[in-house]
């Protein structure tokens, strides 16, 4: 049955009202409560259960590893799904149920390995819920409203993070719960923060699931036809030989890194390394390089056999056929998220040691520092929510790439100032720049991306795009401990300096991004008008 036979003629996607955009974004309030409880408290839980500072990065590797695997798969599956609850909403609901369960389990972890395993479950579940939300906005809104849509998501991200960041502090200072527990036990405040957060996550996602609707695949196809009739349908597919050569090159690189780590950690280590300690964590980097090579060799074998219709081949082919704007944004995302992951891993120990002079997790000073850092997260994210509202106001009047670059530079200044400010009560000043940058990171790149990818692949490309969030997090998990230990004497505050430099590099890369608006076809420009 053709599209016109089904009753769907090519038409531009209609404008949605403010209430509809609010409802489709509201679930992000709960998702971010879950993410921020994870980001703000998991290092604290790990250290309470016996982890050392130099072990935190590798323990955190669960989060980006699950995102690397889960997001492209969920994006691909949600593109192919259609049923009673639509194509994206079933994933919202299932992910929210699992994430809420993980939030109830995490603070009850009796030992470190159970906490680490629960982090895998929690992050996978949050990714199942979050990834389709990005595609949902792209599906539902015309390009002229996408900056507003993603900025609304950014507002709820900020609001959710405010709630999550404030919960432990409020529990201690307003409700009288204890933030100190016997050695090896999770404080009462953390328990209740996770319980409340799990309930809020499920409620917020259910609001979006039951108050929104989705366009059927035939409707999306008609919108796409009208939106970009001049875009060529064909694309150049990567050949068997290209997959083979690329795979071998990446495997050789992985073996070389692995061999270097083995030699550097052996008794006959090279003299030029001096006192530099090569951590075993770097084996993970070698595995990732080789793993990407193996993926390409599998793709080469499948293409040689003519087996191009599998989900695996579609994901891999789309990865290598990204639009130019998406490739440019990948560089921006890499440096942006490397900086954020440095903050999430080292924020609590950095503040505890540098500003509170209490590096020992068993002390009251450390727990006070952890609560204060969590409250600063609320300040940071409250500012992010306010900045997101500002983006909605300026969405149609300001170049998105330049705006994003400015925001990232403000974030770099915020990170750098954490080294200069010694009074912890003044660290809210640092959070201004970081909060503005965070609002920008979770909105503007997605608004730019949604304008350059085909509607029928919105989910898979949002999933692939998140690879460029996950890869820097994996790299951070493997090399940040090495850098902090060998370059900065193990002082975690210098991870914030690394984050500042990474934000500057992201800002420079943003200036080379071609926004979809400037590369659009006549039909797309009509939709944007």
């Amino acid at each position: 049955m053709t599209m016109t036979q089904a009753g769907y003629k090519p038409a531009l996607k209609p404008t949605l009202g403010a209430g509809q955009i609010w409802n489709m974004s509201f679930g992000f309030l709960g998702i971010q409560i879950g993410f921020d409880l994870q980001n703000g408290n998991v290092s604290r839980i790990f250290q309470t259960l016996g982890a050392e500072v130099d072990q935190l990065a590798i323990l955190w590797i669960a989060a980006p590893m699950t995102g690397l695997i889960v997001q492209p798969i969920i994006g691909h599956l949600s593109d192919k799904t259609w049923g009673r609850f639509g194509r994206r909403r079933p994933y919202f609901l299932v992910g929210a149920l699992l994430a809420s369960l993980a939030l109830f389990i995490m603070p009850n972890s009796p030992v470190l390995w159970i906490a680490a395993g629960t982090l895998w479950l929690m992050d996978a579940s949050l990714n199942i819920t979050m990834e389709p939300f990005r595609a949902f906005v792209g599906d539902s809104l015309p390009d002229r409203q996408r900056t507003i849509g993603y900025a609304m998501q950014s507002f709820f991200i900020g609001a959710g993070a405010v709630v999550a960041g404030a919960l432990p502090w409020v529990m201690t200072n307003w409700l009288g719960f204890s933030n100190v527990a016997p050695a090896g036990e999770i404080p009462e405040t953390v328990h209740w923060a996770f319980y409340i957060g799990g309930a809020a996550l499920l409620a917020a996602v259910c609001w979006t699931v039951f108050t929104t609707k989705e366009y059927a695949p035939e409707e999306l196809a008609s919108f796409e036809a009208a939106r970009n009739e001049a875009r060529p349908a064909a694309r150049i597919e990567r050949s068997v030989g290209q997959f083979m050569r690329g795979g071998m090159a990446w495997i050789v690189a992985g073996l070389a890194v692995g061999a270097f780590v083995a030699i550097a950690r052996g008794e006959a280590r090279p003299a030029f390394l001096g006192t530099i300690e090569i951590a075993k964590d770097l084996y993970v980097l070698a595995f990732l390089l080789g793993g990407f090579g193996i993926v390409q060799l599998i793709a080469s074998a499948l293409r040689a056999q003519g087996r191009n219709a599998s989900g695996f081949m579609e994901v891999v082919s789309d990865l290598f056929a990204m639009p130019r704007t998406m490739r440019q944004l990948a560089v921006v995302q890499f440096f942006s998220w490397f900086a954020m992951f440095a903050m999430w891993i080292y924020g609590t120990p950095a503040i505890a040691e540098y500003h509170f002079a209490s590096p020992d997790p068993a002390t009251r000073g450390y727990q006070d520092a952890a609560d204060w850092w969590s409250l600063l997260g609320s300040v940071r994210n409250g500012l992010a929510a306010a900045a997101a509202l500002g983006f909605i106001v300026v969405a149609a009047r300001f170049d998105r790439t330049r705006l994003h670059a400015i925001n990232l530079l403000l974030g770099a200044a915020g990170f750098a100032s954490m080294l200069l400010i010694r009074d912890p009560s003044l660290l809210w000043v640092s959070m201004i720049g970081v909060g503005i940058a965070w609002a920008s990171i979770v909105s503007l790149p997605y608004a730019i991306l949604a304008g350059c990818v085909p509607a029928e692949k919105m989910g898979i490309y949002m999933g692939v795009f998140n690879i460029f969030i996950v890869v820097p997090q994996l790299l951070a998990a493997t090399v940040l401990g090495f850098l902090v230990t060998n370059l900065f004497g193990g002082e975690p505050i210098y991870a914030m300096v690394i984050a500042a430099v990474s934000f500057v590099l992201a800002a420079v890369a943003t200036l080379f991004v071609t926004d979809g608006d400037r590369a659009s076809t006549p039909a797309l420009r009509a939709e944007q008008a």
Side-chain angles (χ1 to χ4, degrees), residues 146-179:
R146 281 178 179 149
T147 299
I148 296 173
Y150 287 112
M152 184 66 75
Q153 281 193 354
S154 183
F155 168 76
F156 282 119
I157 287 171
V162 168
V163 173
L167 275 173
W169 189 90
V170 168
M171 294 289 175
T172 301
N173 293 278
W174 289 3
L175 302 180
F177 288 91
S178 174
N179 73 340

Side-chain angles (χ1 to χ4, degrees), residues 105-435:
I105 294 173
M106 175 61 86
N108 292 292
S109 301
V111 292
L112 182 59
W113 70 267
I114 291 180
T118 304
L119 178 59
W120 283 85
L121 172 62
M122 185 187 306
D123 204 80
S125 303
L126 288 168
N127 275 289
I128 290 170
T129 307
M130 182 192 72
E131 196 286 329
F133 259 95
R134 300 294 192 189
F136 188 39
V137 170
D139 291 341
S140 304
L141 296 177
D143 193 75
R144 62 184 176 274
Q145 286 192 298
R146 281 178 179 149
T147 299
I148 296 173
Y150 287 112
M152 184 66 75
Q153 281 193 354
S154 183
F155 168 76
F156 282 119
I157 287 171
V162 168
V163 173
L167 275 173
W169 189 90
V170 168
M171 294 289 175
T172 301
N173 293 278
W174 289 3
L175 302 180
F177 288 91
S178 174
N179 73 340
V180 179
E185 295 185 17
I186 311 300
E188 189 179 26
T189 53
V190 177
H191 276 265
W192 281 101
F194 274 65
Y195 300 157
I196 294 170
L201 188 159
L202 185 58
V205 171
C206 284
W207 178 273
T208 290
V209 169
F210 295 112
T211 62
T212 58
K213 66 175 185 176
E214 298 183 67
Y215 292 118
E218 296 85 357
E219 292 176 287
L220 289 174
S222 72
F223 295 144
E224 183 71 2
R227 172 180 178 262
N228 207 0
E229 292 173 343
R231 182 172 58 208
R235 67 178 185 179
I236 299 174
E237 296 284 1
R238 193 170 174 84
S239 69
V240 172
Q242 288 174 315
F243 274 130
M244 178 67 71
R245 290 189 296 272
M248 293 303 299
W250 282 89
I251 289 174
V252 168
L255 291 173
V257 172
F260 171 76
V261 174
I263 293 171
R265 290 178 57 81
E267 294 182 3
R269 56 185 271 132
F272 70 83
L273 289 175
T275 59
I276 296 177
E277 179 183 347
I278 302 298
K280 63 180 180 296
D281 301 0
L282 295 180
Y283 280 124
V284 177
L285 178 60
F287 171 79
L288 291 172
L289 294 172
F292 187 53
I294 292 171
V295 166
Q296 293 184 67
L297 291 185
I298 294 172
S300 174
L302 292 175
R303 179 142 292 169
Q305 298 169 20
R307 297 165 60 186
N308 296 310
S310 67
F312 174 86
M313 282 303 298
E314 186 170 351
V315 171
V316 175
S317 297
D318 288 338
L319 175 62
F320 285 96
M322 291 185 296
R324 181 181 65 167
T325 297
M326 186 172 174
R327 294 195 300 270
Q328 295 166 337
L329 284 170
V331 180
V332 178
Q333 293 293 85
F334 178 89
F335 289 112
S336 299
W337 286 89
F338 188 93
M340 295 305 299
F341 210 60
M343 181 189 72
W344 289 328
I345 294 174
Y346 287 104
T348 296
I351 298 304
E353 179 179 308
Y354 191 72
H355 297 90
F356 282 77
S358 299
D360 184 355
T363 63
R364 177 62 180 262
Y366 178 94
Q367 297 299 334
D368 286 343
D371 282 352
W372 185 243
W373 177 244
S374 184
L375 186 62
L376 286 172
S378 291
V379 174
R380 178 178 66 248
N381 288 292
L383 290 164
L389 294 178
F391 298 161
I392 293 174
V393 173
V394 303
R397 297 189 289 273
F398 206 95
D399 180 86
R400 293 186 290 205
T401 55
R402 289 187 175 86
L403 177 61
H404 192 48
I406 292 169
N407 294 336
L408 290 169
L409 290 175
L410 291 173
F415 276 131
S417 68
M418 292 176 68
L419 184 68
L420 304 176
I421 296 172
R422 295 306 299 260
D423 183 350
S425 66
L426 296 178
L427 285 173
W428 64 270
V429 176
S430 303
M431 296 299 101
I432 296 174
V434 179

